[in-house]
Amino acid sequence: VEHQDLCQKAFGYDFMKPKHHARHHLPKQIQLLGFAMDAFPCERKHKFYKSHIGLHRFDTVAQNSNGQFSHMVLKEVMIHHVDSLQKNNFENKLSGAAVRDASLDATLNMEGCQRSKALQFNGHTISQGDVLLGDHPGLVLAAIQCGESFFLHFKIL
């Protein structure tokens, strides 16, 4: 709290961001969960958009009442996302070194089960150490593939 007060005195209230407050909860989170959960992954998604705004926000040619600046930024963001999607492989598969695990065959009543540290599924990569939220939040321990089926081994939080 003292650090936050000093930052606010030194740089002003406008300098403070929600993540300044969020860091006060990290010690309790680490004690409770055993790790710190990053609650700001969406910040990276907006990095590309923000970089264009930062370059041109004071440019009088780009800023006008016709919305040309916003149109330009939106166009660049769309081009970026289309390029990203073209590079992405939406094939469902284990990522990294897959190891045959016969013990999983019996547990899952399936044959040919393999274990890996990561899984690419529907365009998303889920890796060992990731935290899944939802009805059954958990910490991912491994990714498993048995034939055409995929599973995640995780520790329920």
Side-chain angles (χ1 to χ4, degrees):
V1 176
E2 180 183 359
H3 181 286
Q4 187 158 333
D5 291 341
L6 291 173
C7 279
Q8 190 171 337
K9 285 179 185 174
F11 302 107
Y13 182 78
D14 291 338
F15 175 78
M16 304 306 289
K17 295 187 165 103
K19 55 184 136 189
H20 286 271
H21 170 80
R23 70 188 153 86
H24 292 295
H25 299 284
L26 287 175
K28 185 176 180 180
Q29 186 183 76
I30 292 169
Q31 184 180 25
L32 180 68
L33 302 174
F35 59 90
M37 186 167 51
D38 180 6
F40 294 100
C42 293
E43 290 283 329
R44 290 186 294 275
K45 289 294 251 182
H46 298 316
K47 183 177 180 182
F48 185 81
Y49 177 76
K50 289 177 183 177
S51 69
H52 283 283
I53 289 175
L55 292 172
H56 301 290
R57 70 175 166 211
F58 300 114
D59 184 348
T60 56
V61 175
Q63 295 284 7
N64 63 38
S65 60
N66 296 331
Q68 289 177 341
F69 173 68
S70 295
H71 180 76
M72 178 195 71
V73 171
L74 182 59
K75 181 179 173 185
E76 290 299 319
V77 169
M78 194 163 101
I79 289 169
H80 170 74
H81 285 297
V82 168
D83 287 345
S84 293
L85 287 171
Q86 288 174 340
K87 292 175 187 171
N88 199 343
N89 180 352
F90 286 92
E91 179 185 2
N92 296 335
K93 63 180 182 177
L94 294 179
S95 299
V99 177
R100 176 84 169 86
D101 191 335
S103 67
L104 290 171
D105 291 2
T107 303
L108 297 171
N109 197 24
M110 301 177 94
E111 292 185 12
C113 295
Q114 298 179 37
R115 174 186 299 264
S116 182
K117 291 184 177 182
L119 165 68
Q120 184 176 317
F121 193 80
N122 292 340
H124 299 282
T125 301
I126 304 168
S127 302
Q128 185 178 47
D130 286 353
V131 175
L132 298 181
L133 302 175
D135 292 340
H136 307 287
L139 177 67
V140 175
L141 301 175
I144 300 164
Q145 180 177 5
C146 299
E148 297 295 317
S149 299
F150 294 91
F151 304 92
L152 290 174
H153 178 205
F154 64 98
K155 176 183 173 185
I156 295 176
L157 299 176

